[in-house]
């Protein structure tokens, strides 16, 4: 029996030693809404309901203060500062009732609303500063370059998509939904024509009537700029409607179109300014501007939208309208003076381009076409034959074509910003220059200078080099004030 007692005592001692070596069991964290009160009363939870208090024995308190358990105990972070706190008095002293914060509002503040910032008219036409034509000082082109950039027309806030010019005036249309009119003698912006529903994709000026035509979505706005306060006198639609009241510009861009209306991509005027051609969809609507009435349509059988047009109306010949489409084809129309109804295409030029037509230019009997396939083609309109094709004329889309003033030379501009000059006779390359760092969207010229519109928001004014074609170029560049005097 003594041996049994000894063995039993020994076992108990071993168990006690083992228990001492084992770590104490973890104590679960105390629920945050229940707190200890020495008086055994009730405390309020954070939700405001009364909960019974619990007594904590001294052993648990002692264990909870050990370093190993303090590291494992979860401590609830303090409430956010946005919570409102109100004091209440109880028999045990000052207490606190915490009210949770309200739900966040469903609408962001204006400065945090991304969609509001994107759709807001950050560049309102009425708040734009007037632009100016300044001398271009970075003349890094070599003497062998065919063109020299002389001036820069600055003032638009987005890409310039179209230009037109006379010897005294320059017109530029932009994605900022405005048309700007510039004085080439003083080098200053004369006026801004606002109120367009979206990008202004084309602008044309008729020196005979003093009217400016601008295109945005399915509208053609007609402006009278003969007075200092220009006003929109008519608005023509792609469906042939005439709106006499002014179409006021909205703060947001118009993206949708009414039934029956189509995006207008290009417009052209005849030489006398009595007829307007508007390319909408795969057809061309013809307007009599003496009466502001639509008189007919040109239907060439295009299977895609007409993107660009060119016109030629010599006095002794029937006026010609040429259309270039996304369907890769070019159609030729002969438009009689007494046009009524629908006129079909007289010729279909083949072989077509390998991609959509982006630019056209006519001089005499020759037509030049530029395409997204980076190719330039030369056509003879007398017999509708392809005379020459320049493959890989540019490294990107050929977006613009025009002619060097006073020379038998063709100008081409591409989406990569490169300008090239070609001999019209044999399509040989005369020279090239980096025109812009952004796409060249349009080219026009007057009697002495060349104007290029680009996505870099500027219009550059170029002068042909004196060595070009062995001719002197002694045109005056600037006036006494240093502005562009063309």
């Amino acid at each position: 029996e003594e041996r049994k007692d000894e063995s039993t005592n020994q076992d108990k001692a071993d168990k006690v030693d083992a228990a001492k070596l084992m770590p104490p069991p973890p104590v679960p964290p105390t629920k945050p809404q229940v707190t200890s009160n020495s008086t055994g009363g009730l405390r309020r939870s954070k939700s405001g309901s009364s909960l019974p208090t619990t007594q904590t024995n001294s052993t648990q308190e002692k264990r909870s203060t050990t370093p190993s358990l303090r590291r494992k105990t979860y401590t609830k972070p303090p409430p956010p500062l946005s919570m409102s706190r109100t004091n209440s008095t109880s028999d045990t002293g000052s207490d606190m009732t915490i009210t949770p914060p309200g739900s966040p509002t469903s609408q962001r503040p204006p400065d945090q609303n991304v969609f509001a910032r994107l759709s807001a008219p950050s560049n309102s036409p009425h708040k734009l500063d007037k632009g100016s034509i300044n001398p271009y000082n970075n003349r890094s082109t070599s003497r062998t370059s065919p063109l020299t950039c002389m001036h820069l027309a600055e003032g638009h806030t987005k890409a310039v998509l179209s230009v037109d010019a006379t010897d005294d005036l320059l017109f530029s249309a932009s994605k900022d939904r405005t048309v700007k009119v510039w004085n080439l003698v003083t080098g200053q912006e004369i006026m801004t024509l606002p109120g367009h529903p979206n990008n202004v994709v084309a602008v044309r000026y008729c020196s005979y009537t003093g009217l400016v035509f601008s295109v945005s979505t399915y509208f053609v706005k007609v402006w009278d700029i003969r007075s200092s306060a220009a006003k929109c006198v008519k608005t023509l639609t792609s469906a042939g409607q005439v709106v006499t009241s002014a179409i006021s510009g909205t703060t947001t861009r118009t993206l949708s179109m009414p039934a029956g209306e189509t995006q207008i991509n290009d417009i052209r005027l005849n030489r006398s300014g009595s007829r307007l051609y508007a390319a909408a969809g795969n057809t061309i609507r013809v307007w009599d501007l003496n009466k502001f009435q639509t008189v007919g349509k040109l239907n060439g059988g295009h299977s895609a939208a007409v993107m660009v047009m060119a016109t030629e109306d010599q006095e002794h010949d029937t006026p010609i309208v040429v259309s270039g489409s996304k369907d890769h084809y070019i159609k030729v129309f002969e438009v009689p003076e007494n046009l009524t109804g629908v006129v079909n295409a007289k010729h279909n030029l083949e072989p077509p381009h390998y991609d959509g037509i982006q630019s056209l230019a006519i001089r005499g009997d020759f037509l030049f076409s530029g395409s997204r396939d980076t190719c330039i083609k030369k056509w003879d309109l007398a017999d509708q034959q392809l005379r020459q094709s320049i493959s890989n004329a540019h490294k990107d889309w050929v977006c613009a074509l025009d002619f060097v003033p006073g020379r038998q030379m063709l100008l081409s501009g591409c989406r990569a910003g490169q300008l090239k000059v070609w001999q019209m006779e044999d399509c040989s390359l005369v020279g090239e220059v980096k025109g812009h760092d952004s796409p060249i969207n349009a080219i026009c010229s007057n009697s002495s200078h060349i104007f290029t519109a680009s996505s870099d928001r500027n219009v550059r004014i170029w002068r042909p080099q004196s060595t070009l074609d062995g001719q002197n170029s002694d045109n005056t560049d600037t006036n006494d004030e240093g502005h562009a005097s063309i």
Side-chain angles (χ1 to χ4, degrees):
E1 291 178 357
E2 292 178 357
R3 290 180 178 177
K4 287 182 179 180
D5 293 339
E6 291 178 359
S7 62
T8 302
N9 294 334
Q10 185 65 32
D11 292 339
K12 290 180 179 180
D14 294 340
K15 289 181 179 179
V16 170
D17 294 338
K20 290 180 178 179
L21 295 175
M22 291 179 62
V27 178
T30 306
K31 294 183 179 180
Q33 69 269 24
V34 181
T35 58
S36 175
N37 190 350
S38 60
T39 61
L42 296 179
R43 295 293 296 255
R44 288 190 178 275
S45 68
K46 291 183 180 179
S47 61
S49 61
S50 299
L51 297 174
T53 60
T54 58
Q55 296 292 337
T56 305
N57 56 39
S58 60
T59 306
Q60 288 180 340
E61 290 179 354
K62 187 178 295 184
R63 286 182 178 177
S64 65
T65 58
T66 60
S68 62
L69 289 183
R70 277 204 306 269
R71 288 194 298 268
K72 297 179 181 179
T73 302
Y74 168 75
T75 302
K76 186 174 181 180
L81 295 177
S82 61
M83 290 186 177
S84 63
R85 302 185 179 187
T86 58
N87 295 333
S88 63
T89 305
S90 66
D91 57 346
T92 59
S94 177
D95 199 359
M96 185 182 299
T97 300
I98 300 178
T99 304
S103 300
T105 58
S106 59
Q107 186 175 2
R108 286 182 173 183
D111 59 337
Q112 295 181 5
N113 193 326
V114 177
F115 299 100
R117 283 190 283 109
L118 290 177
S119 59
S122 58
N123 297 314
S124 174
H126 302 285
K127 296 181 180 180
L128 294 178
D129 296 330
K130 280 198 172 185
S132 61
I133 300 177
N134 303 308
Y136 184 69
N137 297 321
N138 186 20
R139 301 184 186 181
S140 59
T141 55
S142 64
R143 293 183 177 273
T144 59
S145 174
L147 306 172
T148 301
C149 182
M150 307 301 297
H151 295 86
L152 199 66
E154 301 173 292
H156 282 290
T157 59
K158 290 189 177 180
V160 184
L161 303 178
S162 179
V163 283
D164 198 10
T166 66
D167 285 346
D168 299 320
L169 298 174
L170 170 66
F171 305 86
S172 58
S174 169
K175 276 188 176 182
D176 63 14
R177 301 164 60 190
T178 68
V179 171
K180 288 186 179 293
V181 185
W182 313 78
N183 188 324
L184 293 177
V185 178
T186 64
Q188 296 297 319
E189 176 192 331
I190 301 174
M191 62 186 70
T192 296
L193 310 180
H196 297 87
N198 210 322
N199 301 340
V200 187
V201 299
V203 61
R204 300 286 180 262
Y205 173 68
C206 179
S207 56
Y208 290 96
T209 61
L211 298 177
V212 178
F213 302 81
S214 59
V215 176
S216 183
T217 64
Y218 59 95
F219 292 116
V220 178
K221 297 174 78 70
V222 185
W223 304 84
D224 187 354
I225 63 168
R226 288 174 291 185
S227 62
S228 57
K231 63 178 180 177
C232 179
V233 294
K234 298 284 184 182
T235 300
L236 316 178
T237 73
S238 63
Q241 304 297 318
V242 180
V243 182
T244 54
S245 60
I247 304 296
S248 59
T250 59
T251 56
T252 58
R253 292 178 179 266
T254 301
L255 301 178
S256 60
M257 297 187 190
E261 301 288 356
T262 313
Q263 168 76 42
I264 299 176
N265 295 316
D266 195 16
I267 56 172
R268 294 287 168 174
L269 297 165
N270 66 346
R271 191 179 298 273
S272 63
S274 61
R275 184 169 286 180
L276 171 72
Y277 305 95
N282 60 351
T283 61
I284 300 171
R285 186 173 293 277
V286 185
W287 292 84
D288 183 353
L289 295 180
N290 293 323
K291 302 177 181 178
F292 282 101
Q293 293 179 352
T294 177
V295 294
K297 276 187 177 182
L298 308 182
N299 186 4
H302 284 295
S303 59
V306 176
M307 300 304 295
V308 63
M309 294 182 294
T311 59
E312 182 70 16
D313 53 344
Q314 300 293 339
E315 294 181 0
H316 57 279
D317 293 330
T318 302
I320 291 175
V321 177
V322 182
S323 62
S325 169
K326 275 186 175 180
D327 64 6
H328 311 178
Y329 279 93
I330 300 171
K331 312 280 186 178
V332 181
F333 300 85
E334 290 185 357
V335 186
E337 290 294 335
N338 56 349
L339 168 67
T340 56
V342 178
V343 174
N344 294 319
K346 189 172 183 64
H347 305 290
N348 182 36
L349 302 185
E350 292 187 283
H353 281 272
Y354 291 104
D355 208 336
I357 313 300
Q358 289 293 117
S359 51
L360 295 171
I362 293 180
R363 176 171 282 188
D365 289 334
F366 292 103
L367 168 73
F368 295 87
S369 59
S371 169
R372 296 183 181 185
D373 62 8
T374 72
C375 177
I376 296 176
K377 291 181 182 289
K378 177 184 176 182
W379 309 85
D380 190 341
L381 295 178
D383 55 8
Q384 297 79 48
Q385 295 296 315
L386 176 65
R387 293 303 179 200
Q388 199 152 355
S389 180
I390 311 173
S391 300
N392 299 318
H394 284 271
K395 294 181 180 180
D396 212 326
W397 295 2
V398 184
C399 298
L401 293 173
D402 206 338
F403 300 98
V404 179
R407 294 165 175 82
Q408 294 296 310
M409 294 182 182
L410 175 72
L411 273 167
S412 63
C414 75
R415 199 168 62 166
Q418 201 75 6
L419 268 175
K420 293 190 177 184
V421 179
W422 312 83
Q423 289 285 358
M424 287 181 56
E425 182 65 27
D426 57 1
C427 293
S428 60
L429 181 63
V430 177
E432 61 182 296
V433 63
K434 183 66 175 179
H436 295 262
D437 293 327
S438 298
I440 295 175
N441 301 313
I443 301 176
C444 75
S445 61
N446 58 14
S447 61
S448 58
H449 284 71
I450 299 158
F451 307 86
T452 57
S454 171
S455 295
D456 62 9
R457 303 177 297 177
N458 299 321
V459 177
R460 292 192 178 186
I461 303 174
W462 305 80
R463 187 188 68 180
Q465 284 276 39
S466 58
T467 56
L468 193 63
D469 196 27
Q471 300 183 34
N472 292 326
S473 180
D474 54 357
N475 299 306
T476 303
D477 301 330
T478 59
N479 57 17
D480 295 336
E481 298 179 358
H483 298 300
S485 179
I486 306 300

